[in-house]
Amino acid sequence: MPKDRPELPPVEELLTAAVTAVGGVERPGQVKMAQAVRDAVESEEHLAVQAGTGTGKSLAYLVPAIRHAAESGEAVVVSTATIALQRQLVDRDLPRLADALESLLPHRPEFAILKGRRNYLCRHKMADGMPEDEDDQLFDPREVSATGRMVQRIQEWANETETGDRDEIVPGVSDQAWRQFSVTARECLGVQRCPSGADCFAELARERAGEADIVVTNHALLAIDAMEDFAVLPEHDVVVVDEAHELVDRVTSVVTGELSESTVSLAARRAGRLIEQGVADRLQEAGEDLRALLTVAPPGRVDTLPGSLGMTLALVRDAAFACITALGPRNKDKDDPENAGLRKAAFTALDEVHDTAQRMLDAFGPAAGGDEAEDDAEDTGDSRDSERGANGGGTGDARSEEVHRAEVVWLEEGRGRVPPALRVAPLSVGGMLRDKLFGDRTVVLTSATLALGGSFDSLARQWGLPAGDWTGLDVGSPFDHPRRGILYVATHLPQPGRDGLPEAYVDEIAELIEAAGGRTLGLFSSMRAAKAATEALRERLDVPLLCQGDDSTSQLVKQFAGDPATCLFGTLSLWQGVDVPGPSLTLVIIDRIPFPRPDDPLASARQRHVAATGGNGFMAVAATHAALLLAQGAGRLLRSMDDRGVVAVLDPRLATARYSGFLLNSLPPFWRTTDPAKVRDALRRLTAGS
């Protein structure tokens, strides 16, 4: 510790002060986690901490983080996956912590939130210094009118805001409207060249972050900061990744490239303002050729590159390069801000098109355009395939190039006015995270769900954590799971099929809800199943039944929490995003083990890649995905110390399949049963006693 800094109180004393100030109760797991975070920071060793709901993990990592910032003089970055947790930290946890610890530290802890540049109003673009990209032909008059009203609201808000943060606008505005007032980091002219640089909201947010002890951001911006050549976050040597189970998916989204007629047309329009129209027209025509080809192609993973697609991608790439060349030197108009903005926007769009097309061609390597190989059989979540995959390694005839392929390309079909699009993403982001995130700083990863099958190894491999350079710790949960909750697996039901929700499942759901008197969160593996169950049961049950899509998710959750008799059915976002303590949630129903969809291009490609390298693709990818979601879904039940209830899984494979032990060991240690009568009796007793 530097000599000019005073001796700071130990983490335990600071944590006690913080917990007392917020009116909480210090828990053994919380103290253990805070000590582990302190030790990891001091030893510069990465740490993965599983801390169950109710542990108080936010304080457990914020207190040692604040202490380290006060001691070292460097900020600590806290990254989250969801806006809800960001707001909880910035609006509730950190202000109370600052009040509680101010008298014990050399200065009052300062904190700031930092988002991607796209989230802040761009004064230069608002002053018409940047091109308008929207093509009104894509929208019907009603949408244009609604967007116009949102644009007017943004303009009125812009005259009053002090932060320029999009989240201040309530109710929110569409992406289409907001894009007219914002730029990406790549489109930004930079503070030195932009006429509005001195008043830039994004730069002001960065300045505030640079003076803070704790900087709260999101996984996407954390990935951009780690992987780009330019710094986005202030200097830091410690990162806390909360909701770490989401890290791989969020980072994958950041590095996924897209190519469609829309992206090509945008680049052509931007270039057409600045170069000879004939050159830009060739890019526009290449985009039209791409759409014609993609419209008739089957959606899904592209394993081998058809000659026609290869030629079209090369045509798009070369046309984009011709536009880039025609634009001339990139700093040509550095003394002309208005023209510089147009040129920067054009270069950004053209670079994206060119680089993505090249990246897709590179994904197929020297075998691009070769003969179509027969698809390998894969584990997809079907019961026969799943058990075969769990029992052995990979497929023996996997193509040799599968071992070397680094990225996967797939086609997403168009919907309505949205054209079909090609996407490309890495098979793994572990190598990038290992080199870019874990290499130069200490990282603490935490969530209520990290130890899958009783081990941190599955997620550690996905994160790319360096072997021998990290520690895993499960601090448990304050909840008495065996006494407060029941895990019921309906082994008497048939295995789920591929033709919708079986009638026996609908009957089982109805009986469980009647026993619980409503109070049910139904988590379904597809929206089709959720809607089918809703339609069937609204005719049979006397309790209010809400379905995701009836209203905004936040409004539905509010209605559900406010009326104990109400049930709420939905899919993915409800598996992880619902926090309803109290009697309104007594029963969580899960219709089936949430394996990835058989046609999920990334999951299936990653599964095949693991198999081709000698591993068990099903267990490494599909079972890990299912275990994570199952644990998150089951975690919706107990949200406070007084909660009690049942998690009912209708899929009998959770008790009978070869891989069931791995899945069960990923769940909280509820008391288990397969007896439906016992479960219904328990629910009736809970309902009568509430």
Short mmCIF file of all heavy atoms in Angstrom, two decimals, residues 332-387:
data_model
loop_
_atom_site.label_atom_id
_atom_site.label_comp_id
_atom_site.label_asym_id
_atom_site.label_seq_id
_atom_site.Cartn_x
_atom_site.Cartn_y
_atom_site.Cartn_z
N LYS A 332 -9.17 12.74 -45.07
CA LYS A 332 -9.19 13.74 -46.15
C LYS A 332 -9.89 15.03 -45.74
O LYS A 332 -9.44 16.13 -46.09
CB LYS A 332 -9.87 13.13 -47.37
CG LYS A 332 -10.03 14.06 -48.56
CD LYS A 332 -10.72 13.30 -49.69
CE LYS A 332 -11.00 14.19 -50.88
NZ LYS A 332 -11.71 13.45 -51.96
N ASP A 333 -10.99 14.94 -44.99
CA ASP A 333 -11.79 16.12 -44.65
C ASP A 333 -11.75 16.42 -43.16
O ASP A 333 -12.75 16.80 -42.57
CB ASP A 333 -13.25 15.91 -45.09
CG ASP A 333 -13.38 15.80 -46.59
OD1 ASP A 333 -13.06 16.78 -47.27
OD2 ASP A 333 -13.81 14.73 -47.06
N LYS A 334 -10.58 16.28 -42.57
CA LYS A 334 -10.49 16.47 -41.12
C LYS A 334 -10.81 17.89 -40.70
O LYS A 334 -11.18 18.13 -39.55
CB LYS A 334 -9.12 16.06 -40.62
CG LYS A 334 -7.96 16.88 -41.18
CD LYS A 334 -6.64 16.37 -40.63
CE LYS A 334 -5.47 17.17 -41.19
NZ LYS A 334 -4.18 16.68 -40.65
N ASP A 335 -10.66 18.87 -41.62
CA ASP A 335 -10.96 20.26 -41.27
C ASP A 335 -12.37 20.67 -41.68
O ASP A 335 -12.73 21.84 -41.59
CB ASP A 335 -9.93 21.20 -41.93
CG ASP A 335 -8.53 20.95 -41.41
OD1 ASP A 335 -8.40 20.62 -40.21
OD2 ASP A 335 -7.58 21.05 -42.21
N ASP A 336 -13.16 19.71 -42.17
CA ASP A 336 -14.54 19.98 -42.59
C ASP A 336 -15.45 19.04 -41.80
O ASP A 336 -15.76 17.94 -42.26
CB ASP A 336 -14.67 19.73 -44.10
CG ASP A 336 -16.09 19.99 -44.60
OD1 ASP A 336 -16.97 20.35 -43.77
OD2 ASP A 336 -16.33 19.82 -45.81
N PRO A 337 -15.87 19.46 -40.60
CA PRO A 337 -16.60 18.54 -39.71
C PRO A 337 -17.84 17.91 -40.34
O PRO A 337 -18.10 16.73 -40.14
CB PRO A 337 -16.97 19.42 -38.52
CG PRO A 337 -15.94 20.51 -38.54
CD PRO A 337 -15.64 20.76 -39.98
N GLU A 338 -18.61 18.71 -41.09
CA GLU A 338 -19.84 18.16 -41.65
C GLU A 338 -19.53 17.06 -42.64
O GLU A 338 -20.09 15.96 -42.59
CB GLU A 338 -20.65 19.26 -42.33
CG GLU A 338 -21.97 18.73 -42.92
CD GLU A 338 -22.85 19.84 -43.46
OE1 GLU A 338 -22.55 21.01 -43.21
OE2 GLU A 338 -23.85 19.50 -44.12
N ASN A 339 -18.59 17.31 -43.56
CA ASN A 339 -18.23 16.28 -44.54
C ASN A 339 -17.51 15.13 -43.86
O ASN A 339 -17.64 13.97 -44.27
CB ASN A 339 -17.36 16.90 -45.64
CG ASN A 339 -17.56 16.19 -46.97
OD1 ASN A 339 -18.65 15.76 -47.30
ND2 ASN A 339 -16.48 16.06 -47.73
N ALA A 340 -16.74 15.44 -42.81
CA ALA A 340 -16.04 14.37 -42.09
C ALA A 340 -17.03 13.41 -41.46
O ALA A 340 -16.79 12.19 -41.42
CB ALA A 340 -15.14 14.99 -41.03
N GLY A 341 -18.15 13.92 -40.96
CA GLY A 341 -19.18 13.06 -40.38
C GLY A 341 -19.79 12.14 -41.42
O GLY A 341 -19.99 10.94 -41.17
N LEU A 342 -20.05 12.66 -42.61
CA LEU A 342 -20.60 11.84 -43.68
C LEU A 342 -19.60 10.76 -44.09
O LEU A 342 -19.97 9.60 -44.31
CB LEU A 342 -20.94 12.72 -44.89
CG LEU A 342 -22.06 13.75 -44.70
CD1 LEU A 342 -22.14 14.67 -45.90
CD2 LEU A 342 -23.40 13.05 -44.48
N ARG A 343 -18.34 11.13 -44.19
CA ARG A 343 -17.31 10.18 -44.60
C ARG A 343 -17.09 9.10 -43.55
O ARG A 343 -16.94 7.92 -43.87
CB ARG A 343 -16.01 10.92 -44.91
CG ARG A 343 -16.04 11.74 -46.18
CD ARG A 343 -14.80 12.61 -46.32
NE ARG A 343 -13.59 11.81 -46.29
CZ ARG A 343 -13.11 11.08 -47.30
NH1 ARG A 343 -13.76 11.05 -48.44
NH2 ARG A 343 -11.99 10.38 -47.17
N LYS A 344 -17.09 9.49 -42.28
CA LYS A 344 -16.89 8.50 -41.22
C LYS A 344 -18.03 7.49 -41.20
O LYS A 344 -17.82 6.28 -41.04
CB LYS A 344 -16.79 9.22 -39.87
CG LYS A 344 -16.43 8.29 -38.70
CD LYS A 344 -15.02 7.76 -38.84
CE LYS A 344 -14.63 6.83 -37.69
NZ LYS A 344 -14.37 7.56 -36.45
N ALA A 345 -19.26 7.99 -41.39
CA ALA A 345 -20.41 7.08 -41.42
C ALA A 345 -20.32 6.12 -42.59
O ALA A 345 -20.64 4.93 -42.48
CB ALA A 345 -21.70 7.89 -41.47
N ALA A 346 -19.87 6.63 -43.74
CA ALA A 346 -19.75 5.79 -44.92
C ALA A 346 -18.66 4.74 -44.73
O ALA A 346 -18.86 3.55 -45.02
CB ALA A 346 -19.45 6.65 -46.15
N PHE A 347 -17.50 5.16 -44.25
CA PHE A 347 -16.42 4.21 -44.01
C PHE A 347 -16.85 3.12 -43.03
O PHE A 347 -16.54 1.94 -43.20
CB PHE A 347 -15.18 4.93 -43.46
CG PHE A 347 -14.27 5.49 -44.52
CD1 PHE A 347 -13.97 6.84 -44.57
CD2 PHE A 347 -13.71 4.65 -45.48
CE1 PHE A 347 -13.12 7.35 -45.54
CE2 PHE A 347 -12.86 5.16 -46.46
CZ PHE A 347 -12.56 6.51 -46.49
N THR A 348 -17.57 3.51 -41.97
CA THR A 348 -18.00 2.53 -40.96
C THR A 348 -18.88 1.45 -41.58
O THR A 348 -18.67 0.25 -41.36
CB THR A 348 -18.76 3.24 -39.83
OG1 THR A 348 -17.90 4.19 -39.21
CG2 THR A 348 -19.25 2.25 -38.79
N ALA A 349 -19.88 1.87 -42.37
CA ALA A 349 -20.79 0.91 -42.98
C ALA A 349 -20.08 0.05 -44.02
O ALA A 349 -20.30 -1.16 -44.11
CB ALA A 349 -21.97 1.65 -43.61
N LEU A 350 -19.22 0.67 -44.82
CA LEU A 350 -18.51 -0.08 -45.85
C LEU A 350 -17.52 -1.08 -45.25
O LEU A 350 -17.39 -2.21 -45.72
CB LEU A 350 -17.77 0.89 -46.77
CG LEU A 350 -18.66 1.75 -47.68
CD1 LEU A 350 -17.85 2.88 -48.29
CD2 LEU A 350 -19.31 0.90 -48.77
N ASP A 351 -16.79 -0.64 -44.22
CA ASP A 351 -15.87 -1.56 -43.55
C ASP A 351 -16.61 -2.77 -42.99
O ASP A 351 -16.12 -3.91 -43.08
CB ASP A 351 -15.14 -0.84 -42.41
CG ASP A 351 -14.10 0.15 -42.90
OD1 ASP A 351 -13.68 0.06 -44.07
OD2 ASP A 351 -13.71 1.04 -42.11
N GLU A 352 -17.78 -2.52 -42.39
CA GLU A 352 -18.56 -3.61 -41.81
C GLU A 352 -18.97 -4.62 -42.88
O GLU A 352 -18.86 -5.83 -42.70
CB GLU A 352 -19.79 -3.05 -41.10
CG GLU A 352 -20.61 -4.08 -40.35
CD GLU A 352 -19.90 -4.63 -39.13
OE1 GLU A 352 -18.99 -3.96 -38.60
OE2 GLU A 352 -20.24 -5.75 -38.71
N VAL A 353 -19.46 -4.12 -44.02
CA VAL A 353 -19.87 -5.01 -45.11
C VAL A 353 -18.67 -5.77 -45.67
O VAL A 353 -18.72 -7.00 -45.84
CB VAL A 353 -20.56 -4.19 -46.22
CG1 VAL A 353 -20.74 -5.04 -47.49
CG2 VAL A 353 -21.92 -3.69 -45.74
N HIS A 354 -17.60 -5.05 -45.96
CA HIS A 354 -16.42 -5.69 -46.53
C HIS A 354 -15.84 -6.75 -45.59
O HIS A 354 -15.58 -7.89 -45.99
CB HIS A 354 -15.36 -4.62 -46.84
CG HIS A 354 -14.04 -5.19 -47.30
ND1 HIS A 354 -13.06 -5.60 -46.42
CD2 HIS A 354 -13.56 -5.45 -48.54
CE1 HIS A 354 -12.04 -6.08 -47.09
NE2 HIS A 354 -12.30 -5.99 -48.38
N ASP A 355 -15.64 -6.36 -44.33
CA ASP A 355 -14.98 -7.28 -43.39
C ASP A 355 -15.86 -8.48 -43.06
O ASP A 355 -15.34 -9.60 -42.88
CB ASP A 355 -14.63 -6.53 -42.10
CG ASP A 355 -13.58 -5.45 -42.33
OD1 ASP A 355 -13.00 -5.40 -43.43
OD2 ASP A 355 -13.37 -4.64 -41.41
N THR A 356 -17.18 -8.28 -42.99
CA THR A 356 -18.07 -9.40 -42.69
C THR A 356 -18.12 -10.38 -43.86
O THR A 356 -18.10 -11.61 -43.65
CB THR A 356 -19.48 -8.90 -42.35
OG1 THR A 356 -19.42 -7.99 -41.25
CG2 THR A 356 -20.40 -10.05 -41.99
N ALA A 357 -18.18 -9.87 -45.08
CA ALA A 357 -18.16 -10.76 -46.25
C ALA A 357 -16.86 -11.56 -46.30
O ALA A 357 -16.88 -12.78 -46.55
CB ALA A 357 -18.33 -9.94 -47.53
N GLN A 358 -15.73 -10.90 -46.03
CA GLN A 358 -14.45 -11.60 -46.02
C GLN A 358 -14.40 -12.64 -44.89
O GLN A 358 -13.88 -13.74 -45.06
CB GLN A 358 -13.31 -10.60 -45.86
CG GLN A 358 -11.93 -11.23 -45.96
CD GLN A 358 -11.67 -11.85 -47.32
OE1 GLN A 358 -11.74 -11.17 -48.34
NE2 GLN A 358 -11.41 -13.16 -47.34
N ARG A 359 -14.95 -12.26 -43.75
CA ARG A 359 -14.96 -13.16 -42.61
C ARG A 359 -15.77 -14.42 -42.92
O ARG A 359 -15.38 -15.54 -42.54
CB ARG A 359 -15.55 -12.42 -41.41
CG ARG A 359 -15.56 -13.16 -40.10
CD ARG A 359 -16.13 -12.25 -39.03
NE ARG A 359 -16.51 -12.99 -37.84
CZ ARG A 359 -17.21 -12.47 -36.83
NH1 ARG A 359 -17.58 -11.19 -36.87
NH2 ARG A 359 -17.53 -13.20 -35.78
N MET A 360 -16.89 -14.25 -43.62
CA MET A 360 -17.70 -15.41 -43.98
C MET A 360 -16.98 -16.31 -44.96
O MET A 360 -17.03 -17.55 -44.86
CB MET A 360 -19.04 -14.94 -44.55
CG MET A 360 -19.95 -14.31 -43.51
SD MET A 360 -21.47 -13.62 -44.21
CE MET A 360 -22.34 -13.13 -42.70
N LEU A 361 -16.28 -15.73 -45.93
CA LEU A 361 -15.51 -16.53 -46.86
C LEU A 361 -14.39 -17.27 -46.14
O LEU A 361 -14.13 -18.45 -46.39
CB LEU A 361 -14.94 -15.64 -47.96
CG LEU A 361 -15.97 -15.08 -48.96
CD1 LEU A 361 -15.35 -13.96 -49.79
CD2 LEU A 361 -16.51 -16.19 -49.86
N ASP A 362 -13.71 -16.57 -45.22
CA ASP A 362 -12.61 -17.19 -44.48
C ASP A 362 -13.08 -18.33 -43.59
O ASP A 362 -12.30 -19.24 -43.28
CB ASP A 362 -11.91 -16.14 -43.61
CG ASP A 362 -11.14 -15.12 -44.42
OD1 ASP A 362 -10.88 -15.38 -45.62
OD2 ASP A 362 -10.81 -14.04 -43.88
N ALA A 363 -14.36 -18.28 -43.17
CA ALA A 363 -14.87 -19.31 -42.25
C ALA A 363 -14.83 -20.70 -42.86
O ALA A 363 -14.78 -21.70 -42.14
CB ALA A 363 -16.31 -18.97 -41.83
N PHE A 364 -14.83 -20.77 -44.21
CA PHE A 364 -14.86 -22.07 -44.87
C PHE A 364 -13.47 -22.55 -45.26
O PHE A 364 -13.32 -23.70 -45.67
CB PHE A 364 -15.77 -22.00 -46.10
CG PHE A 364 -17.21 -21.73 -45.73
CD1 PHE A 364 -17.71 -20.44 -45.74
CD2 PHE A 364 -18.04 -22.75 -45.31
CE1 PHE A 364 -19.01 -20.18 -45.39
CE2 PHE A 364 -19.35 -22.50 -44.95
CZ PHE A 364 -19.84 -21.22 -44.99
N GLY A 365 -12.47 -21.70 -45.12
CA GLY A 365 -11.09 -22.11 -45.33
C GLY A 365 -10.85 -22.67 -46.73
O GLY A 365 -11.59 -22.38 -47.68
N PRO A 366 -9.85 -23.51 -46.87
CA PRO A 366 -9.50 -24.04 -48.19
C PRO A 366 -10.55 -24.97 -48.77
O PRO A 366 -10.56 -25.24 -49.96
CB PRO A 366 -8.18 -24.80 -47.93
CG PRO A 366 -8.21 -25.12 -46.46
CD PRO A 366 -8.92 -23.97 -45.82
N ALA A 367 -11.46 -25.49 -47.91
CA ALA A 367 -12.48 -26.42 -48.40
C ALA A 367 -13.71 -25.70 -48.92
O ALA A 367 -14.68 -26.33 -49.31
CB ALA A 367 -12.88 -27.38 -47.28
N ALA A 368 -13.69 -24.34 -48.92
CA ALA A 368 -14.86 -23.58 -49.34
C ALA A 368 -15.27 -23.97 -50.75
O ALA A 368 -14.46 -24.03 -51.66
CB ALA A 368 -14.55 -22.09 -49.28
N GLY A 369 -16.58 -24.22 -50.89
CA GLY A 369 -17.09 -24.54 -52.21
C GLY A 369 -16.93 -26.00 -52.59
O GLY A 369 -17.24 -26.40 -53.71
N GLY A 370 -16.43 -26.82 -51.65
CA GLY A 370 -16.22 -28.24 -51.94
C GLY A 370 -17.52 -29.01 -51.98
O GLY A 370 -18.62 -28.46 -51.89
N ASP A 371 -17.40 -30.32 -52.14
CA ASP A 371 -18.60 -31.16 -52.21
C ASP A 371 -19.34 -31.14 -50.90
O ASP A 371 -18.76 -31.07 -49.82
CB ASP A 371 -18.20 -32.61 -52.54
CG ASP A 371 -17.58 -32.70 -53.94
OD1 ASP A 371 -17.90 -31.83 -54.77
OD2 ASP A 371 -16.79 -33.64 -54.16
N GLU A 372 -20.65 -31.22 -51.01
CA GLU A 372 -21.49 -31.25 -49.81
C GLU A 372 -21.25 -32.56 -49.07
O GLU A 372 -21.29 -33.64 -49.65
CB GLU A 372 -22.97 -31.14 -50.21
CG GLU A 372 -23.93 -31.05 -49.05
CD GLU A 372 -23.90 -29.68 -48.40
OE1 GLU A 372 -23.44 -28.72 -49.03
OE2 GLU A 372 -24.33 -29.57 -47.24
N ALA A 373 -20.94 -32.46 -47.78
CA ALA A 373 -20.74 -33.66 -46.97
C ALA A 373 -22.03 -34.01 -46.25
O ALA A 373 -22.80 -33.13 -45.88
CB ALA A 373 -19.62 -33.44 -45.96
N GLU A 374 -22.22 -35.28 -46.06
CA GLU A 374 -23.42 -35.71 -45.36
C GLU A 374 -23.38 -35.25 -43.92
O GLU A 374 -22.36 -35.36 -43.25
CB GLU A 374 -23.52 -37.24 -45.40
CG GLU A 374 -24.81 -37.77 -44.78
CD GLU A 374 -24.90 -39.27 -44.90
OE1 GLU A 374 -24.10 -39.86 -45.64
OE2 GLU A 374 -25.78 -39.85 -44.25
N ASP A 375 -24.49 -34.69 -43.45
CA ASP A 375 -24.55 -34.19 -42.08
C ASP A 375 -24.38 -35.32 -41.09
O ASP A 375 -24.92 -36.42 -41.28
CB ASP A 375 -25.91 -33.52 -41.83
CG ASP A 375 -25.76 -32.04 -41.53
OD1 ASP A 375 -24.61 -31.57 -41.41
OD2 ASP A 375 -26.80 -31.39 -41.40
N ASP A 376 -23.61 -35.06 -40.04
CA ASP A 376 -23.48 -36.03 -38.97
C ASP A 376 -24.74 -36.04 -38.12
O ASP A 376 -25.38 -35.02 -37.93
CB ASP A 376 -22.29 -35.67 -38.07
CG ASP A 376 -20.99 -35.67 -38.85
OD1 ASP A 376 -20.83 -36.54 -39.71
OD2 ASP A 376 -20.16 -34.78 -38.57
N ALA A 377 -25.06 -37.21 -37.58
CA ALA A 377 -26.15 -37.27 -36.61
C ALA A 377 -25.71 -36.55 -35.35
O ALA A 377 -24.57 -36.63 -34.94
CB ALA A 377 -26.48 -38.73 -36.29
N GLU A 378 -26.65 -35.83 -34.74
CA GLU A 378 -26.31 -35.03 -33.57
C GLU A 378 -27.35 -35.20 -32.48
O GLU A 378 -28.51 -35.51 -32.75
CB GLU A 378 -26.25 -33.55 -33.94
CG GLU A 378 -25.10 -33.23 -34.88
CD GLU A 378 -25.11 -31.78 -35.28
OE1 GLU A 378 -26.20 -31.18 -35.28
OE2 GLU A 378 -24.05 -31.24 -35.58
N ASP A 379 -26.92 -34.97 -31.25
CA ASP A 379 -27.83 -34.94 -30.12
C ASP A 379 -28.57 -33.63 -30.14
O ASP A 379 -27.96 -32.57 -30.21
CB ASP A 379 -27.06 -35.05 -28.81
CG ASP A 379 -26.25 -36.34 -28.76
OD1 ASP A 379 -26.85 -37.39 -29.02
OD2 ASP A 379 -25.05 -36.26 -28.47
N THR A 380 -29.89 -33.66 -30.09
CA THR A 380 -30.65 -32.43 -30.23
C THR A 380 -31.63 -32.21 -29.10
O THR A 380 -32.42 -31.28 -29.15
CB THR A 380 -31.46 -32.47 -31.55
OG1 THR A 380 -32.39 -33.56 -31.48
CG2 THR A 380 -30.54 -32.65 -32.74
N GLY A 381 -31.62 -33.06 -28.10
CA GLY A 381 -32.62 -32.91 -27.05
C GLY A 381 -33.70 -33.96 -27.19
O GLY A 381 -34.47 -34.20 -26.28
N ASP A 382 -33.83 -34.61 -28.38
CA ASP A 382 -34.71 -35.76 -28.51
C ASP A 382 -34.21 -36.85 -27.56
O ASP A 382 -33.01 -37.05 -27.38
CB ASP A 382 -34.67 -36.26 -29.96
CG ASP A 382 -35.49 -37.51 -30.14
OD1 ASP A 382 -36.71 -37.40 -30.31
OD2 ASP A 382 -34.88 -38.59 -30.08
N SER A 383 -35.13 -37.59 -26.96
CA SER A 383 -34.73 -38.50 -25.89
C SER A 383 -33.74 -39.56 -26.35
O SER A 383 -32.77 -39.84 -25.67
CB SER A 383 -35.98 -39.18 -25.31
OG SER A 383 -36.66 -39.90 -26.31
N ARG A 384 -33.93 -40.17 -27.53
CA ARG A 384 -33.01 -41.22 -27.98
C ARG A 384 -31.64 -40.63 -28.26
O ARG A 384 -30.61 -41.17 -27.86
CB ARG A 384 -33.57 -41.89 -29.23
CG ARG A 384 -34.83 -42.71 -28.95
CD ARG A 384 -35.54 -43.06 -30.22
NE ARG A 384 -35.97 -41.85 -30.92
CZ ARG A 384 -36.52 -41.87 -32.14
NH1 ARG A 384 -36.68 -43.00 -32.78
NH2 ARG A 384 -36.91 -40.75 -32.71
N ASP A 385 -31.60 -39.52 -28.98
CA ASP A 385 -30.33 -38.89 -29.30
C ASP A 385 -29.64 -38.41 -28.04
O ASP A 385 -28.42 -38.50 -27.91
CB ASP A 385 -30.53 -37.70 -30.24
CG ASP A 385 -30.95 -38.14 -31.64
OD1 ASP A 385 -30.76 -39.32 -31.94
OD2 ASP A 385 -31.46 -37.29 -32.40
N SER A 386 -30.41 -37.87 -27.11
CA SER A 386 -29.81 -37.32 -25.90
C SER A 386 -29.12 -38.40 -25.10
O SER A 386 -28.00 -38.23 -24.63
CB SER A 386 -30.89 -36.66 -25.04
OG SER A 386 -31.45 -35.55 -25.71
N GLU A 387 -29.77 -39.54 -24.93
CA GLU A 387 -29.16 -40.60 -24.12
C GLU A 387 -27.93 -41.18 -24.83
O GLU A 387 -26.94 -41.51 -24.20
CB GLU A 387 -30.19 -41.68 -23.83
CG GLU A 387 -31.31 -41.16 -22.94
CD GLU A 387 -32.14 -42.28 -22.37
OE1 GLU A 387 -31.61 -43.40 -22.22
OE2 GLU A 387 -33.31 -42.06 -22.07
#
